[in-house]
Amino acid sequence: MATPAVKIKRVLIANRGEIAVRIIRTLREMNIESVAVYSDADFDSQHRYLADYAVRLPGTASADTYLQIPKLLAAIVSSGADAVHPGYGFLSESSEFARQVSEAGAIFIGPPPAAMDRMGNKIHARNLMTQHGVPVVPGAQAPLRDAAELKKLAHEIGYPLILKAAGGGGGRGMRVVRQDSELEAALSACQREAVAYFGNPEVFCERYIERPRHIEFQVLFDAHGNGVHLFERDCSVQRRHQKLFEEAPSLYLNEKQRADIGAKAVAAARAAGYVNAGTIEFICESPDKAYFMEMNTRIQVEHPVTEMITGLDLIAWQIRVAQGEVLPFKQSELRPHGWALEARINAEDPALDFAPAAGTVHAMNLPGGPFVRVDTHLYPGYRIPDAYDSMVAKVIVWANTRPEALKRMQRALSELRLEGVQTTAPFHEALLALPAFREGDFTTKLIEEQAEYWRKSFRESGGDGDEPTLAAVLGVLTASQQSATPSVESAQSTRTSLWNDTARREGLE
Ligand code: MV4
């Protein structure tokens, strides 16, 4: 392996929870020291215990702690960290943070700020993709000026349409429009939300794809112009833009389609001048019609499924390319191996419409055994604070084939016990039993469209509370019909607390 241009010795992790723990583990394996930062609510958190050093960020709210650039810069200086890993959420996609970390003399373990900016504006990203031969959904090439212009475009593109904020992403502030009469109100609502959520009033439109498959490609680029894709993840199983279950590879694509879309993902990242690990999101109308949606310029929650099918530690590779190392493999040398699944375990209360719920983990039993991985920051006696997001564990399994992986996930979930908190685990058990899911016949609408199937089973079981799984699933479904609450991963960077926000939104909408 080529000698790195620089050798990172001490990394500050500007994050918390399972991802902070995950990053510390790789650092230790690489003989790199770790520096945790912790808010007052995270005094008892595992990432603080596990790191070599820990720096307090006074305060509790994300805005006062994990989102506070000045406090983080002070922690970098006081700890002597020579690099920063941002994890996901929080400041991970802030080009401003990346710039200030560099100016403070530390290495930002992530993409160059300019690449983040190129992909951050969705209109700019769409146009950049078109220039580089990456397909986008037919739509606007500039911010919409007014309803008249939108109407003209609508007649060119055809209904249904979707309005999105240029500064948005991850599903927030989108509006579907099905006819002329809805245009004006939808445009002004979308513009209003664009200002409120993203501080940017620019809005654009695209043809709306009713039942897409959400497939994203992991890419990895070094600083010397070498880049590969590490195959795809199918993240179609989601509710309210919150991913619940991910897998790699996707049953939807054959080898040729995988290679074609993968090449487009590499072209997309190259067009942005990308370095480090990133993800190109596509929505697919059919396996041969994949459109670029957006790029996530961070490590993602679901990165472990890619690690399982490639055998690569993605956090380690992020660090290596940040040190200037050259990628030692070519695309032609990479092959996916077997099948990996991930179930996100969120602490949520079915009695409160599956609202995020804090609590103390009085006792726990985590799944184990062959080819099972659990990424979590939980330990017995830990009190889950309500100031941050509700994801508390990821159960990841690997097997040679998808049917074997499904069986293994069922086995793993059957071992999971978290006493004192209610979780999304029952939802996953119901999902794994669902014929459409098992057969791979699903889109992003799966959960909504299966509502009737689950309701019927619930009625036939008597609906008397003897069926905790179905009752829990019905709770998920009820929640899924409420107003959109987008993904934690992308949303927590712009909000002080998702948990409080859920309650706030219910009052507002
Ligand atoms: C779309 C779409 C249909 N047509 N764009 C949601 C998240 C953001 N990244 C883009 N999203 C969508 N954009 C067009 N032109 C449907 C969605 C969408 C979606 C996409 C991926 C995963 C889950 C989704 C759930 C609802 C809507």
Side-chain angles (χ1 to χ4, degrees), residues 302-326:
E302 59 271 30
H303 77 276
V305 293
T306 299
E307 298 187 317
M308 301 298 251
I309 63 154
T310 60
L312 299 171
D313 178 335
L314 287 179
I315 304 287
W317 280 107
Q318 287 192 287
I319 294 165
R320 292 202 176 105
V321 302
Q323 291 184 148
E325 289 185 46
V326 176

Side-chain angles (χ1 to χ4, degrees), residues 10 66 74 93 121 143 173 178-179 197 230 255 273 280 397 506:
R10 187 178 293 173
Y66 303 105
E93 298 197 88
N121 184 301
R178 298 187 180 276
Q179 52 193 29
Y197 295 159
L230 299 174
E255 245 180 81
I280 311 288
V397 302
E506 254 129 44

Side-chain angles (χ1 to χ4, degrees), residues 162 164 206-209 214 238 241 281 293-294 444:
I162 184 165
K164 300 181 178 184
E206 287 178 348
R207 181 162 64 79
Y208 179 61
I209 299 170
H214 173 112
Q238 54 81 45
H241 301 299
E281 265 186 45
M293 273 285 106
E294 54 190 71
T444 57

Side-chain angles (χ1 to χ4, degrees), residues 21-38:
V21 168
R22 159 77 190 85
I23 294 163
I24 293 166
R25 288 179 167 146
T26 286
L27 291 171
R28 192 145 294 160
E29 291 180 9
M30 296 177 81
N31 292 319
I32 298 172
E33 291 180 319
S34 53
V35 182
V37 291
Y38 63 96

